[in-house]
Amino acid sequence: DATGEALLRTEGLTKQFGGLVAVDDVTLRVESGEIRCLIGPNGAGKSTLLKLLVGQLSPSAGQVFYRGEDITDLSQHDRARNGMSMKFQVPAVYGDLSVRQNVHIPLQREVDHNIDAEIDSTLESFGLLDEAGTRADDLAHGQQQWLEIAMASALDPDLLLLDEPAAGMSVQETERTADYVHRLNDQGVTLLVIEHDIDFVRAIAQSVTVLHQGEVFAEGTIDEIEDDPDVRRIYLGE
Ligand code: ADP
Ligand code: MG
């Protein structure tokens, strides 16, 4: 509902690293319930933008609003408590710990319910129950990515930010990841997903934002984006 309050909104969001403007005056809104994909060439500022949204980085200028409230000064932890969660591009699983112990980490502040059952059900829903005792380092690459999504979704976030969840995956693994994204969305999770693989984007995206040189370059449905000659020039190299 573009007339109501967006779940997530930014206003002039900017991040400079020295002289480099990695994210440049980005104003965007993500509606509650949608699956939004963020695409763009390497170095476009996608990962930096997600880190600004989740509070891992502070902006040089601009604001982030969540459910209409200015959360620009909230820590990553406080944003997580408000229902925002993220899977980073670089795998962040604890390699020496078991799969079960990894999923326990985001749940450890939880009280008054059955943590073990919660962990089991999270593992089961990402096809990892049989790997519960495996060291995270010993998982296949695809399983590590799923473990990270499991960890990021363990606390039932309202908004899940995924940075390249299908990177390095086979076709079958990518399809399974798309199924997980759809299932989370069916459960009411709003998703903002960075992805390179255009087939994966087509499989999940309800709307697409194209970032180029730190700026929002185009926005629309996947069909509109794929048919846009300017997008094809900067992104698809045509
Ligand atoms: P993308 O995810 O779209 O590939 P990034 O957000 O990772 O792009 O990077 C955008 C630009 O910011 C790149 O030029 C990158 O080198 C630079 N950059 C990212 N993080 C840092 C950092 N911590 N310090 C300095 N420059 C950075
Ligand atoms: Mg990136």
Side-chain angles (χ1 to χ4, degrees):
D1 178 5
T3 58
E5 195 54 71
L7 180 62
L8 181 74
R9 187 164 67 81
T10 71
E11 193 73 57
L13 204 59
T14 299
K15 181 65 182 181
Q16 290 187 243
F17 296 113
L20 175 82
V21 187
V23 172
D24 192 358
D25 197 21
V26 168
T27 295
L28 61 78
R29 47 186 293 151
V30 176
E31 310 301 333
S32 184
E34 74 170 310
I35 302 176
R36 172 76 58 90
C37 278
L38 186 60
I39 68 171
N42 248 329
K46 303 179 299 296
S47 292
T48 303
L49 176 56
L50 250 64
K51 289 174 187 168
L52 293 172
L53 297 177
V54 82
Q56 202 201 25
L57 288 174
S58 328
S60 313
Q63 288 95 40
V64 182
F65 299 88
Y66 185 70
R67 299 190 189 285
E69 276 185 47
D70 188 339
I71 59 161
T72 314
D73 295 328
L74 283 195
S75 68
Q76 186 171 355
H77 177 69
D78 285 336
R79 292 181 206 204
R81 285 184 37 201
N82 282 308
M84 291 177 72
S85 189
M86 177 163 176
K87 174 211 161 309
F88 293 98
Q89 182 171 0
V90 177
V93 297
Y94 297 84
D96 288 336
L97 300 183
S98 72
V99 167
R100 164 171 290 280
Q101 286 168 324
N102 269 275
V103 174
H104 188 229
I105 290 166
L107 292 171
Q108 63 198 353
R109 289 167 194 274
E110 296 283 277
V111 284
D112 348 294
H113 60 275
N114 189 338
I115 296 279
D116 283 337
E118 185 120 335
I119 294 173
D120 280 353
S121 106
T122 301
L123 291 177
E124 167 131 61
S125 55
F126 291 93
L128 292 167
L129 198 51
D130 290 346
E131 309 292 345
T134 305
R135 279 172 80 246
D137 264 349
D138 295 334
L139 290 176
H141 171 78
Q143 291 175 318
Q144 265 189 21
Q145 301 266 56
W146 295 328
L147 174 57
E148 267 206 273
I149 301 173
M151 292 168 71
S153 59
L155 281 175
D156 295 328
D158 298 317
L159 174 65
L160 187 55
L161 310 172
L162 302 177
D163 196 345
E164 303 200 14
M169 286 189 172
S170 69
V171 171
Q172 285 91 340
E173 289 171 330
T174 299
E175 282 172 2
R176 202 158 133 186
T177 305
D179 288 344
Y180 291 151
V181 166
H182 282 296
R183 194 190 56 212
L184 287 162
N185 187 243
D186 288 343
Q187 291 165 351
V189 182
T190 303
L191 290 110
L192 178 57
V193 182
I194 295 177
E195 192 49 61
H196 271 295
D197 181 343
I198 203 73
D199 292 326
F200 182 72
V201 172
R202 210 181 290 112
I204 64 165
Q206 291 157 2
S207 52
V208 178
T209 299
V210 183
L211 213 61
H212 180 48
Q213 295 178 350
E215 296 182 78
V216 174
F217 185 81
E219 217 160 51
T221 64
I222 180 68
D223 289 339
E224 288 165 350
I225 291 302
E226 280 194 295
D227 288 345
D228 183 332
D230 292 328
V231 172
R232 301 186 76 89
R233 182 171 48 78
I234 62 124
Y235 184 60
L236 305 168
E238 291 178 7

